[in-house]
Amino acid sequence: MDSDSVRGVDRRRLLRWGGLAAGAPLVGAHLGRPSPLPATRDAPPAARDVIPPDTRPGGAYDRYVAKLAAEGRFSGVVLLSHRGRTVLSRGYGMADREKGIPNHRGVAFNLSSAGKPFGAVAVLQLVQQGKVKLSDTVGTYLTGFPKEIAERVTVHHLLSGTSGLNSPEEDLQRVFQSREEVHEFYEQWARRAKQVAPPGTPTDHAGAEVAIPALIVEAVTGRTYWDHVEEHVFRRCGMTGTAFFTRPQWLTDEHIAHSYMRQADGGVVDAVRNLDKGSPDPYQLGKNPGRLFVDAPGDGGFATAPDLVRFAHALGDGTLLDRPHSEILTGAKVPLGKDAFGAYSMPVAIVGGQWVFGRAGVNPGSFASWNIYPYTGWVGVVLGNHDGAPFQEIIQREIQAVTGASPGDGEGG
């Protein structure tokens, strides 16, 4: 696979959106609600019930990931679920090398951008309740923004990545010491955003487009973004292993995977325990995920693989949103490439004749992806905690195993 593109879509643009992104397998184990995803009931029964051979334990996808792990190229967890039942579940490598804790399905991983759709769900819950309108401008809820933003940029523009805003410069070496410090910094950071193109212009999902909706959630609910999402998204779904953990929790909780970051000299360091180490990848701008005390409002968080499956099903069974608002969340809005589109805080694509939607995220030493296949009731999760894995290829292998699509059958991102 070409390192600079994924099926024709610019890699950097796709990663800003997130791409579509060991023990015995727990075949048949329930992850929670077995209810179908919204469009599953619209698919032919035969398509809903098929378990492709490549998705099974010992199948092509399982063998591929096992080979990567054996070669030292993958550390993390993969999970495939069909209609609420686990088909494949594997853990590889160490969650914490220093303490000798292996990766397993109960370990939470840093989500990076894969956590952004939680914020979109929180906003749409408020829309469903009549407390927010997608057509409202930023100034309806927030003060301190320039007039061209306050009066022209709407909630829809922010969620769809078409605000025309930029991402203000950020101090990527600063180490934060409290939730309050993180919150104050990013609240002011969002207000430094500039209008660099007319509203309606795609902006590759600029950082301000994530921070500002989080501030709107706070203004409407009177609570911090973290507390509101933990209660109204995570707890509603039964995502008991998912939270906006703080750095002290990351350092001490044995159920949170550490991120192992490769350095320019080829060595690998624990990014949580080594705050002075930055990634050599220019695209990642030297970021160390351990520098934040808690993820910025609107971004990140930590989740286990089973919890992400629970989230996927909660999107479809009415737990989080009614069906119309769930379809607003995932509806195609911005063309990204052949058969690929931006929805609200996530990409969606037509692959092998069916919709696939989800989100991926990459941080130094960690990556995460969850994909939902609503026509057939599948959910795929990939969580990793070591640099050097062929992340995009793993996602494509998952998509191929579930849909049977060969490369070129849709963008997958």
Side-chain angles (χ1 to χ4, degrees):
M1 180 179 299
D2 185 279
S3 61
D4 294 323
S5 63
V6 179
R7 292 183 180 172
V9 179
D10 179 75
R11 178 176 178 272
R12 298 199 188 303
R13 186 179 187 192
L14 196 58
L15 282 174
R16 291 188 186 100
W17 270 97
L20 281 171
L26 302 175
V27 179
H30 272 295
L31 286 169
R33 301 175 181 85
S35 305
L37 297 169
T40 302
R41 61 178 70 99
D42 301 329
R48 297 201 303 264
D49 295 335
V50 169
I51 305 294
D54 287 354
T55 65
R56 295 180 180 273
Y61 181 62
D62 189 17
R63 297 195 307 271
Y64 166 74
V65 178
K67 183 174 185 293
L68 290 178
E71 296 170 347
R73 301 174 64 202
F74 177 72
S75 173
V77 170
V78 296
L79 190 153
L80 294 176
S81 169
H82 180 243
R83 299 178 68 185
R85 290 184 177 272
T86 302
V87 174
L88 178 68
S89 178
R90 302 286 197 193
Y92 298 95
M94 305 302 292
D96 188 333
R97 294 180 179 181
E98 183 176 288
K99 296 181 179 179
I101 301 169
N103 283 320
H104 57 83
R105 59 190 271 128
V107 169
F109 290 75
N110 178 237
L111 295 177
S112 186
S113 292
K116 285 180 169 66
F118 300 146
V121 169
V123 171
L124 285 173
Q125 287 175 334
L126 298 175
V127 171
Q128 184 176 316
Q129 296 165 15
K131 298 178 180 178
V132 171
K133 293 181 181 179
L134 293 170
S135 58
D136 283 343
T137 59
V138 170
T140 306
Y141 306 98
L142 302 173
T143 60
F145 285 88
K147 184 176 180 179
E148 62 269 21
I149 297 175
E151 297 183 0
R152 297 181 61 199
V153 176
T154 67
V155 176
H156 166 76
H157 288 142
L158 296 167
L159 296 182
S160 61
T162 59
S163 68
L165 299 179
N166 70 344
S167 288
E169 290 294 325
E170 185 179 352
D171 181 359
L172 295 171
Q173 302 303 318
R174 177 173 175 177
V175 176
F176 295 81
Q177 304 297 331
S178 69
R179 284 166 55 109
E180 292 73 22
E181 186 181 350
V182 173
H183 190 281
E184 181 181 2
F185 176 88
Y186 280 98
E187 182 174 2
Q188 297 306 315
W189 177 80
R191 285 183 167 82
R192 295 202 305 273
K194 303 296 184 182
Q195 193 77 52
V196 295
T201 304
T203 50
D204 289 333
H205 225 69
E209 294 173 333
V210 178
I212 295 173
L215 295 177
I216 290 174
V217 169
E218 294 183 335
V220 173
T221 66
R223 305 181 68 190
T224 69
Y225 172 85
W226 304 301
D227 291 343
H228 181 83
V229 170
E230 285 187 350
E231 178 179 348
H232 292 278
V233 179
F234 302 161
R235 299 293 83 82
R236 281 195 191 184
C237 300
M239 299 167 70
T240 57
T242 298
F244 294 104
F245 294 121
T246 63
R247 188 169 66 244
Q249 289 174 298
W250 200 354
L251 284 167
T252 59
D253 192 326
E254 296 184 351
H255 296 91
I256 307 175
H258 285 228
S259 297
Y260 291 93
M261 185 171 60
R262 191 173 300 280
Q263 298 298 286
D265 61 4
V268 174
V269 298
D270 182 331
V272 191
R273 292 189 173 102
N274 294 274
L275 296 178
D276 60 331
K277 306 295 185 182
S279 168
D281 182 350
Y283 176 58
Q284 295 179 349
L285 303 176
K287 291 189 291 184
N288 181 329
R291 74 186 180 88
L292 290 179
F293 191 88
V294 65
D295 271 311
D299 208 346
F302 296 78
T304 66
D307 275 357
L308 290 171
V309 176
R310 293 184 179 100
F311 172 71
H313 282 275
L315 282 177
D317 66 12
T319 298
L320 290 174
L321 297 166
D322 61 24
R323 183 165 181 176
H325 288 88
S326 180
E327 292 175 347
I328 289 172
L329 175 74
T330 60
K333 297 172 179 68
V334 183
L336 297 179
K338 181 180 180 295
D339 296 330
F341 308 87
Y344 276 168
S345 296
M346 71 177 78
V348 299
I350 302 171
V351 182
Q354 64 173 292
W355 283 108
V356 180
F357 51 84
R359 185 76 204 229
V362 179
N363 255 341
S366 64
F367 54 86
S369 167
W370 51 269
N371 282 330
I372 301 174
Y373 304 81
Y375 285 10
T376 51
W378 284 88
V379 181
V381 179
V382 182
L383 300 171
N385 67 320
H386 197 293
D387 278 342
F391 181 37
Q392 292 291 338
E393 184 174 323
I394 296 172
I395 297 174
Q396 296 299 340
R397 292 291 187 113
E398 173 207 294
I399 293 171
Q400 184 176 351
V402 171
T403 67
S406 59
D409 291 345
E411 297 295 347

